[in-house]
Each structure stands twice: as C-alpha cells, then as structure tokens.
Amino acid sequence: MNNRLKNVSLALLISATSLQVFADNGYYKGFETSIVKNLVTDYDVDNSDQKDDTQKLQSAINELSQMGGAEIIIPAGVYYFMNVELKSNIKLLIDESASIRPYLQAMYDNGGDAIFNVGKHNDEVVKNVAVTSLQKDKRFIVQLPAITKVSGANPAKPFNNVYGIKVFHFFNIENFLTSNMNIYDNNTKYSAMSLNVILTDKNKANRGKLPTSGDVKNITIYNAAYGYGAVQAQAANKVYFENIESEGGAALRLETGYAPMNNMQLGGVTNIKAKDIRCINGSAALTLSPHTIQTNENIEAHNISADGCNFAVRIATGFISKKNTMEGLKLGVFKNVSIDGIDATFGYHSQILHKDFSLLSKDLQRYIFRTDNALEALEGPSISAVGYVGGPGQPINYEASLTNIKMYGFKADTKEIITPADRGKVYTTEE
C-alpha cells in the first residue's frame, strides 16, 4: 500500500474512535446461518488458473440459498467472476490473501457490467447478504484491469466509449453488508459499487424498488477515474457509509443522474449516514448532485476530508440535461443535509475538468496539465474545501448545513466555500 495512504487510513481509524457522531453503528443487522462451505474444497474451484469460476460460485449460491442460507468461504487464491447473482441469506467470506478479478470475456459475450449483482430481476426482494473478509479487521483484494475494448456506447467521448466494470451493482435488496476490501483500479469506467433503482420493463412488478438497510464500510480504491471512484448511490434508503477512501475520483457520490431514472422520476437517496470519507488526488470525497430528482433528503455526514482534490465536498446544483426528455422536469434538490467536519489540504495533483478551470486564479491555472490523452480529466491544483458548482449564472437551488471547515496549505485569500459567482476567466490553453 502507498505509505502516504496507509498513514491516512490509520489517522482516520484513530479519529473515528474519538468521535461519537452516530448513536448506532449503521443499518445492517447480522444474520445467522448454520451451513459453512468452502468454494475450493466443496465446489471444486481451481484458484490457480485463469478460467471463469462464475458458474461454480453461482451453483453454490443457488443451492445454499434454497437451503435457507450459508457462509461460503473463498480461500486464498485468484478467482475470476462475472455477473454473479447474490441471493438471500448468503455470506461470502473472502480470505485476505484472495484476489477477485472480473472475467471480462463473459461481459463482452453476454453483457452485464458487474462482478456481483443483486436484485434487478428477482420477483421478490433479496434479503440478508454479506460480502466481507474472512479474517476480522483484514481486507481482501479486488483487481480491475485496464479496459480498452470499445463498446460503441459513446463515440463522441473516447473514455466513455469503452466497456466499464463495477464490483457491486445492487437493486432490490434489504439488509446488506459490503466491507473490508482494497480495490486496485486502472482508471476504469464506473464506480466500484453502484446502488440503483429497478426501471426495466422485464421487472415491472418491482419497478421503483431500491437498496435499503445496508452498511458499506472499510473500502479503499486506488487509481480511480474522474467521475467515478469508490461508491455511487443513485437510489438508496437507510444506508450507512464508513471509512471509504478513493485515490482518484470521488469516495462517495450521491449523484442521481441516470437519465432514464430522471425521466421516470424514480430513485433518489434518503436517510443516508456517512462517516470518515476521504479522497486523495481526485475530484472530491463527498459529492451531491441531484440532477432532476426531488426526493433526495436526510443526509448526515461527518469527517469528510480531501488531500490534493478539487474539493472535500462538491455540491452540484440541480440541472436538466439533454438526455432528460420528459416534459415538466424541475431542477433536482437535496433536503435536510448536514455535513460536519470538513478538512481540505491543498495539492497540485487533483483531477480537474475544463468546466472547473475558471474556479482557479490565473496564477494557479498555470499548473493545469494533461498527463494522459486517454483520460477524461487533467491534473491541476486544489480549488477549495467546498464547491457549490454549476454553470455560469446557474443559481444555487438548495442549501446544506456545513460546519467545522478547515483548510491547509491554500492561499490565505481562498474562500472556504466556492460558488458559481466566483468563476473568473480561463487563461490556460491546456485541453
């Protein structure tokens, strides 16, 4: 692990013990199972080759869920999975010396974009799912390779025109835990974990159902792309996030931006709690972006910190994009937002897009440069602790309670909170 990030992680853990910011430890409730199986010894998985192990894990999950549930131990070794459907009363306990990798050919051949899925096509809600480390307080590994294969989804934007990969994609699920993992990314498209709402015509009976009552804890992602990162929640209710770190991108994106969801006015994030959320050399630790969704509310966050990012907290105004085709849509909002303990440390290696260049002074814009033509973002200086961001002249259409803001290494005249009114001219010629 990067020594700097290791030290940051330790500091977060120490600070967590000294602050009593929540009355409980989250929403997830542990569940008991009486069966324990080993994926290698009981299901004959070879964890020394590079073949697809999905079917054997899926068979184990199907069998054991029908039997009332079980713990499935995934021992040390390397495993290749794609589009695994998690089911009720299943715990995946993954050894700290295990490496989970996507079997990409299955995605290219059959579609899908996640290693683990749950609840998109089920007739009934999936209840009681846990994916965590076998050893307490240890972490297993997920390795995501660089993906350059063209999907054809967005020819106008080369970075978004390749296949993307998620580790988790959750829909209609109740009572879940994902925790204790280090994800080694390669600037892939999509956040490692995505929480979403059912929209598909293939499951109209459950349209509008979304993840509820879950904990997402102790996750670090390295080398994440701008606009993505560790977790994105587009639809969720009663989810607790703790100790989430992202090197690159955003650690926690509460962004309800999927166009079909906005057109149908479904989804949204409610009753969200977050603690110890950190970004390093990325966009922001915590992002709020409602697009046109009106139901985002009750967001409580503590200890949000950034080291060398655009902001510690990015708050985007509501907006209606060209993809939002439904008539009568209004600017989206967040209601009842409280963020306490915002720390931002200045650096020169944030991920920055052209739209935010004008938030930097002429002097600081000199340090913006492009490091990789294949990536969406450039590299540049930090902007501020908090950014209320929108286009020129775009109004701030909702407020958040922001307390205990601290800034380190910024110029003395840098505002703690930047708004669209602070935009100036773009001087740099970097593209």
Side-chain angles (χ1 to χ4, degrees):
M1 180 188 290
N2 179 292
N3 285 334
R4 184 184 185 192
L5 196 54
K6 183 187 293 184
N7 292 335
V8 166
S9 300
L10 179 61
L12 282 175
L13 291 174
I14 292 171
S15 67
T17 63
S18 62
L19 290 173
Q20 296 179 345
V21 294
F22 293 123
D24 56 39
N25 293 322
Y27 293 110
Y28 167 76
K29 305 300 181 185
F31 58 97
E32 298 296 326
T33 57
S34 60
I35 301 172
V36 179
K37 294 289 185 179
N38 185 297
L39 189 62
V40 172
T41 58
D42 291 314
Y43 292 91
D44 196 32
V45 168
D46 185 346
N47 58 9
S48 63
D49 62 19
Q50 297 182 2
K51 295 182 180 179
D52 188 2
D53 302 307
T54 302
Q55 191 53 55
K56 290 183 178 180
L57 175 57
Q58 191 65 65
S59 295
I61 290 171
N62 294 348
E63 173 190 354
L64 296 170
S65 180
Q66 290 180 356
M67 294 171 62
E71 295 180 355
I72 302 175
I73 294 173
I74 300 180
V78 178
Y79 302 86
Y80 291 85
F81 302 128
M82 195 70 211
N83 297 323
V84 175
E85 288 289 336
L86 301 174
K87 298 190 176 182
S88 292
N89 302 309
I90 291 295
K91 297 179 183 179
L92 297 186
L93 304 180
I94 304 175
D95 191 277
E96 63 174 314
S97 297
S99 171
I100 307 300
R101 304 176 184 179
Y103 190 75
L104 295 179
Q105 193 59 50
M107 176 173 66
Y108 303 150
D109 293 342
N110 306 315
D113 57 15
I115 298 175
F116 299 105
N117 296 288
V118 61
K120 185 175 183 179
H121 302 293
N122 299 65
D123 293 333
E124 298 181 354
V125 60
V126 175
K127 295 183 178 181
N128 304 328
V129 169
V131 182
T132 189
S133 56
L134 175 63
Q135 297 87 357
K136 184 179 179 181
D137 299 326
K138 300 292 184 178
R139 296 188 180 200
F140 66 91
I141 294 170
V142 179
Q143 293 176 291
L144 303 179
I147 299 176
T148 59
K149 187 176 177 63
V150 173
S151 67
N154 196 337
K157 295 184 177 181
F159 174 75
N160 289 310
N161 200 37
V162 297
Y163 284 88
I165 184 72
K166 306 178 183 81
V167 181
F168 301 100
H169 203 179
F170 284 9
F171 291 87
N172 188 16
I173 181 173
E174 180 181 324
N175 197 44
F176 62 91
L177 170 70
T178 56
S179 68
N180 296 9
M181 70 196 78
N182 290 330
I183 302 167
Y184 295 89
D185 200 353
N186 270 287
N187 285 294
T188 57
K189 188 171 71 171
Y190 300 143
S191 298
M193 183 172 192
S194 183
L195 305 178
N196 261 310
V197 61
I198 294 179
L199 303 174
T200 177
D201 287 341
K202 297 179 181 179
N203 196 359
K204 286 185 178 181
N206 288 305
R207 182 173 284 169
K209 297 292 180 63
L210 46 74
T212 186
S213 301
D215 290 359
V216 180
K217 302 164 63 175
N218 306 327
I219 297 174
T220 298
I221 187 169
Y222 303 90
N223 200 27
Y226 179 94
Y228 301 108
V231 181
Q232 179 175 6
Q234 303 225 38
N237 179 42
K238 295 184 178 179
V239 180
Y240 174 67
F241 300 94
E242 180 181 356
N243 199 22
I244 309 298
E245 299 176 302
S246 186
E247 184 183 62
L252 177 57
R253 290 173 61 209
L254 304 180
E255 180 170 7
T256 52
Y258 185 47
M261 183 180 88
N262 280 260
N263 289 330
M264 299 172 73
Q265 286 295 288
L266 294 174
V269 291
T270 56
N271 303 311
I272 302 298
K273 298 189 293 186
K275 171 180 149 183
D276 296 343
I277 310 299
R278 184 172 182 82
C279 168
I280 296 175
N281 295 341
S283 169
L286 174 62
T287 293
L288 278 65
S289 183
H291 292 244
T292 71
I293 298 299
Q294 307 293 315
T295 55
N296 303 308
E297 62 182 356
N298 301 332
I299 313 298
E300 182 182 0
H302 298 262
N303 292 357
I304 310 301
S305 57
D307 187 349
C309 301
N310 293 171
F311 309 102
V313 177
R314 177 187 290 270
I315 302 175
T317 58
F319 70 97
I320 301 171
S321 78
K322 295 179 180 179
K323 295 180 180 179
N324 299 140
T325 57
M326 180 179 175
E327 293 185 4
L329 292 176
K330 300 179 180 179
L331 298 180
V333 297
F334 277 84
K335 302 173 185 176
N336 191 26
V337 177
S338 174
I339 306 173
D340 178 67
I342 301 170
D343 284 9
T345 300
F346 180 85
Y348 287 97
H349 303 288
S350 77
Q351 296 168 324
I352 188 167
L353 295 187
H354 190 277
K355 64 181 182 180
D356 289 332
F357 288 1
S358 62
L359 294 173
L360 288 168
S361 66
K362 180 179 180 180
D363 179 59
L364 286 177
Q365 287 185 37
R366 293 184 301 150
Y367 297 96
I368 297 172
F369 66 104
R370 178 166 289 286
T371 60
D372 190 335
N373 288 328
L375 299 180
E376 182 179 20
L378 291 79
E379 192 166 294
S382 301
I383 300 172
S384 182
V386 178
Y388 274 101
V389 295
Q394 193 168 7
I396 297 173
N397 65 312
Y398 65 94
E399 299 287 344
S401 171
L402 307 168
T403 53
N404 294 319
I405 301 173
K406 297 178 181 179
M407 297 170 62
Y408 307 92
F410 289 84
K411 291 187 175 182
D413 60 352
T414 303
K415 295 180 179 180
E416 292 180 342
I417 302 173
I418 297 291
T419 73
D422 295 304
R423 290 189 179 277
K425 294 181 180 181
V426 175
Y427 297 94
T428 179
T429 58
E430 288 284 340
E431 293 290 345

